[in-house]
Amino acid sequence: MNAAVSPFRIETFKVACSNCNLRELCLPVGVSDEQIERLDRLVGARRSVPRGDALFHAGDGFASLYAVRTGFFKTCVASEDGREQVTGFQMAGELLGLDGIGTERHTVDAVALEDSQVCVIPYHQLTDLSRELSDLQRQFHKIMSREIVRDHGVMLLLGSMRAEERMAAFLLNLTQRLRARGFSATDLVLRMTREEIGSYLGLKLETVSRAFSKFQDDGILEVRQRQIRILDAAALQKLVNVPSR
Amino acid sequence: MNAAVSPFRIETFKVACSNCNLRELCLPVGVSDEQIERLDRLVGARRSVPRGDALFHAGDGFASLYAVRTGFFKTCVASEDGREQVTGFQMAGELLGLDGIGTERHTVDAVALEDSQVCVIPYHQLTDLSRELSDLQRQFHKIMSREIVRDHGVMLLLGSMRAEERMAAFLLNLTQRLRARGFSATDLVLRMTREEIGSYLGLKLETVSRAFSKFQDDGILEVRQRQIRILDAAALQKLVNVPSR
DNA sequence: CGCGAGCTTGATGCCGATCAATGCATGTGG
DNA sequence: CCACATGCATTGATCGGCATCAAGCTCGCG
């Protein structure tokens, strides 16, 4: 998702929040420059996750949170029987692993949808540090709270919207997050399959596909495989806001 | 929901976590006896919420969390258009208001489904104290994390289960929480209407009603209005575990 | 006693699942 | 370099579960 950094720069610049272009979206929000250096020491390791690999699995012991630095992830829960549900898609600056704090074990799989890099944030060190830095504590709490609010939004979507409304809400959410990261809000490349979108939205892949075709026919989107161009964002917005049942 | 405490005892015993029979389910879990006294000072006020009243509304400024002491609540989100979605039901020992931390405003309505009492926990005092008491910090994080995990479970339910499976999962979840509070796991009184259950589960009230009737016909439940007796919990469990699509 | 909120039950219709066939891009081995 | 396999997507036909519409019922309460 992010501009590639040449190997040379990787070597010379220290891996640190203080010179990370995501710091306005990530854990350091609201943390002063002097204090951010202490975060730098905490976020030591980077970890690369090739496309298709899991960063962690449900059931794995929990020790760290992960901040997406580059790339794109999905998280899935599975019930005892085979059912699977994608619970979210994470892009640069977003935190993975919050589910593991409660039970000391992860409860979801986090899978990279493209070659990705994450910053490893040892949880116990984070809590130690946030006891000293109240700005960090505050930001961490906010991130957790917003995750809860986001989940409520998905519940609303799953509980009360029809297929095309869900798709519209999904696309608007994606573009909004891409825009916040400096990408185009009209041209995007989906990192996930129709099936993964469907799982997230509680729909079958055929329904997702049909919705894309419908939107294209209506002149709202241009769809070519995973390349999407949004021609009429207002129409999408109207779909979400005007209830049809 | 809880055994009534006589007025006399209310007067004589200090309102405090240290002598609250919910402390094993609530914020003080894992906090030592000496430290719990500091929590006592923090949780000053009690607030009574009559049935039908809101503890807070979406849009209200956020200042405090609330621990349910007695009674029963629902939380609802609404989208700009009229759509409503019940996002949860809260009983004794459970925390309300976590949604407000992220934006300093509440994002849901919290409505009492019966006459209820909550303990008011001023959020900024809680963060101050949790900076000193790492056990409190840990428990608070765990509560937020578990809320996220719970929401994922609801997403799975809404995204992939059929009506009767959702109902079975809902009933099992309720009974499990009641059992943890020392109530019968087989006899319960629903505090919410069919419509509220339906909203939570992404179903219409007629579908909820039909499911109750079906379960009764199958000898799984005895249903008399909101009085429910569970005759065959194993059958409910099987409904949840054996996928039918 | 009568009213109304909440609940049950039946009849019908529609949205999205399911089943099935085809298309299209990428990759791989002969 | 082509033949073929493979994964993903599109599109059509059909089916079924749940929503919707519509009566009638139950119970608590003024």
Side-chain angles (χ1 to χ4, degrees), chain B residues 143-203:
Chain B
I143 288 173
M144 296 205 91
S145 172
R146 288 198 191 116
E147 175 65 20
I148 291 170
V149 171
R150 187 193 73 82
D151 291 346
H152 290 168
V154 177
M155 288 165 64
L156 176 67
L157 178 148
L158 291 172
S160 73
M161 288 186 174
R162 9 189 62 260
E164 285 174 23
E165 295 167 347
R166 296 183 198 192
M167 287 288 292
F170 169 70
L171 288 170
L172 287 171
N173 174 272
L174 264 192
T175 56
Q176 181 192 313
R177 286 153 70 199
L178 288 170
R179 192 174 335 119
R181 285 158 182 78
F183 294 96
S184 164
T186 57
D187 286 80
L188 57 146
V189 177
L190 300 175
R191 283 14 273 215
M192 67 297 274
T193 67
R194 305 291 195 254
E195 187 169 21
E196 285 159 342
I197 296 172
S199 173
Y200 181 58
L201 298 178
L203 302 170

Side-chain angles (χ1 to χ4, degrees), chain A residues 156-186:
Chain A
L156 176 67
L157 178 149
L158 290 172
S160 73
M161 288 185 174
R162 8 189 67 256
E164 284 174 24
E165 295 167 347
R166 296 183 197 192
M167 286 288 293
F170 168 71
L171 288 170
L172 287 171
N173 175 270
L174 263 192
T175 56
Q176 181 191 313
R177 287 154 68 200
L178 288 171
R179 191 172 338 117
R181 284 158 182 77
F183 293 97
S184 164
T186 58

Side-chain angles (χ1 to χ4, degrees), chain A residues 29-243:
Chain A
V29 171
V31 178
S32 70
D33 289 348
E34 309 91 67
Q35 299 183 329
I36 230 172
E37 289 175 23
R38 305 196 53 189
L39 245 186
D40 287 351
R41 263 170 271 159
L42 192 158
V43 182
R46 284 281 177 76
R47 193 173 140 192
S48 289
V49 188
R51 173 191 159 121
D53 277 20
L55 174 59
F56 52 78
H57 284 286
D60 286 357
F62 165 80
S64 297
L65 299 172
Y66 305 90
V68 180
R69 178 156 167 75
T70 64
F72 204 88
F73 286 83
K74 68 170 176 180
T75 48
C76 327
V77 273
S79 52
E80 288 120 72
D81 54 310
R83 267 189 276 253
E84 268 217 357
Q85 170 83 19
V86 172
T87 57
F89 297 108
Q90 293 78 24
M91 56 179 77
E94 295 177 335
L95 234 47
L96 283 160
L98 297 172
D99 60 286
I101 296 172
T103 56
E104 319 257 335
R105 302 214 153 261
H106 287 290
T107 63
V108 298
D109 292 346
V111 178
L113 295 182
E114 59 181 350
D115 291 348
S116 303
Q117 255 193 23
V118 297
C119 300
V120 181
I121 306 167
Y123 174 65
H124 287 296
Q125 292 181 43
L126 176 66
T127 56
D128 286 351
L129 187 57
S130 76
R131 231 172 289 132
E132 292 182 56
L133 308 184
S134 68
D135 290 337
L136 178 62
Q137 181 193 36
R138 178 174 309 125
Q139 177 60 11
F140 180 53
H141 287 178
K142 284 190 173 187
I143 288 173
M144 295 205 91
S145 171
R146 289 197 191 119
E147 176 65 20
I148 291 171
V149 171
R150 187 193 73 82
D151 291 346
H152 289 168
V154 176
M155 288 165 64
L156 176 67
L157 178 149
L158 290 172
S160 73
M161 288 185 174
R162 8 189 67 256
E164 284 174 24
E165 295 167 347
R166 296 183 197 192
M167 286 288 293
F170 168 71
L171 288 170
L172 287 171
N173 175 270
L174 263 192
T175 56
Q176 181 191 313
R177 287 154 68 200
L178 288 171
R179 191 172 338 117
R181 284 158 182 77
F183 293 97
S184 164
T186 58
D187 286 80
L188 57 146
V189 177
L190 300 176
R191 296 345 300 206
M192 67 297 273
T193 66
R194 305 292 195 253
E195 186 168 22
E196 285 159 342
I197 297 173
S199 173
Y200 181 58
L201 299 177
L203 302 170
K204 291 290 144 183
L205 71 98
E206 294 96 327
T207 305
V208 173
S209 181
R210 277 184 243 270
F212 275 130
S213 301
K214 172 73 160 31
F215 287 163
Q216 186 157 241
D217 291 350
D218 294 351
I220 298 175
L221 297 183
E222 231 173 80
V223 184
R224 274 193 36 196
Q225 304 294 123
R226 301 195 182 173
Q227 303 264 121
I228 308 285
R229 168 167 297 165
I230 295 179
L231 304 173
D232 189 353
L236 288 181
Q237 194 63 58
K238 210 181 295 177
L239 268 177
V240 176
N241 282 338
V242 180

Side-chain angles (χ1 to χ4, degrees), chain B residues 2 17-18 23 26 28-29 51 57 61 70 72 107 125 129 146 148 151 153 157 166 177 221 228:
Chain B
N2 261 285
C17 296
S18 43
R23 70 182 172 286
C26 195
V29 171
R51 174 191 159 119
H57 284 286
T70 64
F72 204 88
T107 63
Q125 293 181 43
L129 187 58
R146 288 198 191 116
I148 291 170
D151 291 346
L157 178 148
R166 296 183 198 192
R177 286 153 70 199
L221 297 184
I228 307 286

Side-chain angles (χ1 to χ4, degrees), chain B:
Chain B
M1 304 281 337
N2 261 285
V5 176
S6 76
F8 179 67
R9 296 179 61 136
I10 284 184
E11 297 298 331
T12 51
F13 280 112
K14 191 178 170 317
V15 166
C17 296
S18 43
N19 55 42
C20 176
N21 58 356
L22 293 168
R23 70 182 172 286
E24 294 307 323
L25 292 164
C26 195
L27 207 48
V29 171
V31 178
S32 70
D33 290 347
E34 309 91 68
Q35 298 184 329
I36 230 172
E37 290 174 24
R38 305 196 52 189
L39 243 186
D40 287 352
R41 263 170 270 159
L42 192 158
V43 182
R46 283 281 177 75
R47 192 172 140 192
S48 288
V49 188
R51 174 191 159 119
D53 277 19
L55 175 59
F56 53 78
H57 284 286
D60 287 357
F62 165 80
S64 297
L65 299 172
Y66 305 90
V68 179
R69 179 157 168 72
T70 64
F72 204 88
F73 286 83
K74 69 169 176 180
T75 48
C76 326
V77 273
S79 52
E80 288 121 73
D81 54 309
R83 267 188 277 252
E84 268 218 357
Q85 170 85 19
V86 172
T87 57
F89 297 109
Q90 293 78 24
M91 57 178 77
E94 295 177 336
L95 235 47
L96 283 160
L98 297 172
D99 60 286
I101 298 172
T103 56
E104 318 257 333
R105 301 215 153 259
H106 286 290
T107 63
V108 297
D109 291 347
V111 177
L113 296 182
E114 59 181 351
D115 291 348
S116 302
Q117 256 193 23
V118 298
C119 300
V120 181
I121 306 166
Y123 173 66
H124 287 296
Q125 293 181 43
L126 176 66
T127 56
D128 287 350
L129 187 58
S130 77
R131 231 172 289 130
E132 290 182 56
L133 308 183
S134 68
D135 290 337
L136 177 62
Q137 180 193 36
R138 178 173 310 124
Q139 177 59 11
F140 180 52
H141 288 178
K142 284 189 173 189
I143 288 173
M144 296 205 91
S145 172
R146 288 198 191 116
E147 175 65 20
I148 291 170
V149 171
R150 187 193 73 82
D151 291 346
H152 290 168
V154 177
M155 288 165 64
L156 176 67
L157 178 148
L158 291 172
S160 73
M161 288 186 174
R162 9 189 62 260
E164 285 174 23
E165 295 167 347
R166 296 183 198 192
M167 287 288 292
F170 169 70
L171 288 170
L172 287 171
N173 174 272
L174 264 192
T175 56
Q176 181 192 313
R177 286 153 70 199
L178 288 170
R179 192 174 335 119
R181 285 158 182 78
F183 294 96
S184 164
T186 57
D187 286 80
L188 57 146
V189 177
L190 300 175
R191 283 14 273 215
M192 67 297 274
T193 67
R194 305 291 195 254
E195 187 169 21
E196 285 159 342
I197 296 172
S199 173
Y200 181 58
L201 298 178
L203 302 170
K204 290 290 143 184
L205 70 97
E206 295 95 327
T207 305
V208 173
S209 179
R210 277 184 242 270
F212 275 130
S213 301
K214 173 72 159 33
F215 287 163
Q216 187 157 243
D217 291 349
D218 294 353
I220 298 175
L221 297 184
E222 230 174 80
V223 184
R224 274 193 35 197
Q225 303 295 124
R226 300 195 183 174
Q227 304 263 122
I228 307 286
R229 168 167 297 162
I230 296 179
L231 304 173
D232 189 354
L236 288 181
Q237 193 64 58
K238 211 183 294 178
L239 268 177
V240 176
N241 282 336
V242 180
S244 57
R245 61 161 136 166

